[in-house]
Amino acid sequence: MRLLAAVSVLALALTAPAAADWPEFGYNPGRQNVGPASTGITAANVGKLKRRQIMLDGTVDSSPIYLHGVTVDGHTHDTFFVTTTYGITLAIDATTGLELIRRPANKTSVSAVWQPIDALTLSATALWVGDWMDVPRAGGASSVAPGYNTINLAANYKMNENLVVFGRIDNLLDKHYEDPLGFEKTGIGVYGGVRVIR
């Protein structure tokens, strides 16, 4: 589930001094919470600040750090690093608001739905996810997480106005993959049930 993270980025729509790093919680080991560099925010331009919120997995439960000129996957970014629930660390491009790791460069899905008779609906979805940069659960350097593909099937049969029987097969080809690294997804899964409509 995607939750609105408790991260707000204030951006000036004007030229500011070169960015200064905020390398750790509270700026330094003494948690001074004040950096030595000018922020460029003054009484004259504070009204031009804009609040920016981004969507992240989980809730940010620590003060973000900021580093400029960080190389991620061969590209240079000004970057915020935050830790979310379950200890997952995310790198966020300060300009675009996009996550820099755990974001595959390529992700495609194709779905088909067929209704051979009024009461029956069949569907299939194929998902292909390319490689992405990730940080292993046990810590250490970032590495490339291998991409994966899955096929999911589903069927719904309307018995009458108040009763629907449904079934679903997830990961039909029983692919084994981790997303994120260190968290293996289940193999093939078969589910079914009855839905009562009132």
Side-chain angles (χ1 to χ4, degrees):
M1 177 168 50
R2 305 287 282 179
L3 299 174
L4 186 62
V7 173
S8 295
V9 180
L10 296 177
L12 279 175
L14 50 87
T15 303
D21 291 346
W22 189 278
E24 62 189 88
F25 179 78
Y27 183 74
N28 58 24
R31 295 190 180 169
Q32 186 177 355
N33 287 309
V34 176
S38 169
T39 63
I41 301 171
T42 65
N45 65 26
V46 72
K48 295 180 182 180
L49 290 173
K50 296 179 183 176
R51 184 175 183 197
R52 185 173 186 194
Q53 293 181 313
I54 56 176
M55 299 297 286
L56 300 174
D57 287 319
T59 302
V60 174
D61 56 10
S62 70
S63 170
I65 64 170
Y66 173 82
L67 301 174
H68 74 283
V70 175
T71 301
V72 178
D73 200 20
H75 302 281
T76 302
H77 303 269
D78 291 345
T79 310
F80 285 102
F81 295 89
V82 295
T83 302
T84 66
T85 47
Y86 309 113
I88 296 172
T89 299
L90 303 174
I92 302 159
D93 186 296
T95 303
T96 65
L98 298 176
E99 292 177 40
L100 297 175
I101 56 174
R102 297 208 168 101
R103 178 176 292 276
N106 300 295
K107 183 176 182 179
T108 303
S109 67
V110 177
S111 296
V113 178
W114 182 40
Q115 193 168 9
I117 59 176
D118 286 345
L120 179 63
T121 303
L122 305 172
S123 65
T125 301
L127 172 67
W128 177 78
V129 178
D131 297 347
W132 70 94
M133 293 299 294
D134 205 344
V135 178
R137 178 178 156 199
S142 61
S143 58
V144 176
Y148 60 90
N149 53 61
T150 63
I151 296 174
N152 303 323
L153 305 176
N156 288 288
Y157 185 77
K158 190 172 185 179
M159 304 288 288
N160 57 45
E161 292 302 315
N162 301 100
L163 194 64
V164 175
V165 177
F166 64 91
R168 188 176 91 224
I169 301 174
D170 288 347
N171 196 0
L172 178 67
L173 304 177
D174 198 28
K175 297 282 186 170
H176 295 275
Y177 61 97
E178 297 178 6
D179 185 2
L181 283 179
F183 293 88
E184 186 171 0
K185 298 297 184 183
T186 57
I188 189 169
V190 179
Y191 310 92
V194 175
R195 186 177 304 117
V196 178
I197 302 170
R198 295 183 183 208

